[in-house]
């Protein structure tokens, strides 16, 4: 396995984990209250979701599309 594929797998796993934690944060009581009052998620939740999506996309690219 090449080094770029290994980095891709690690990024993919980290991205999925961040997305999971971000989703859990959106479903928490504090997250629900914050979304209800302000209409948006907390900054921490958004960082989890955006960072997770970016890491998962980069990891998927490196793992499946890069030779």
């Amino acid at each position: 396995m090449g080094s770029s594929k290994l980095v891709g797998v690690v990024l993919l796993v980290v991205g999925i984990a961040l997305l999971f934690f971000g989703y859990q944060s959106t479903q928490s009581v504090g997250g629900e209250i914050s979304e209800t009052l302000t209409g948006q998620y907390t900054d921490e939740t958004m960082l989890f979701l955006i960072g997770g999506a970016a890491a998962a996309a980069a990891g998927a690219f490196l793992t499946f599309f890069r030779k």
Side-chain angles (χ1 to χ4, degrees):
M1 178 181 281
S3 64
S4 67
K5 285 208 184 272
L6 182 62
V7 170
V9 170
V10 169
L11 278 173
L12 188 60
V13 169
V14 168
I16 291 171
L18 286 174
L19 284 171
F20 174 75
F21 288 125
Y23 176 74
Q24 291 294 335
S25 182
T26 64
Q27 302 302 311
S28 69
V29 174
E32 293 283 335
I33 292 171
S34 174
E35 183 185 8
T36 301
L37 295 176
T38 64
Q40 57 189 2
Y41 296 125
T42 62
D43 290 341
E44 181 180 305
T45 301
M46 291 303 292
L47 286 175
F48 278 134
L49 294 173
I50 293 169
F61 175 76
L62 288 175
T63 302
F64 298 116
F65 299 113
R66 182 96 183 214
K67 291 188 179 193

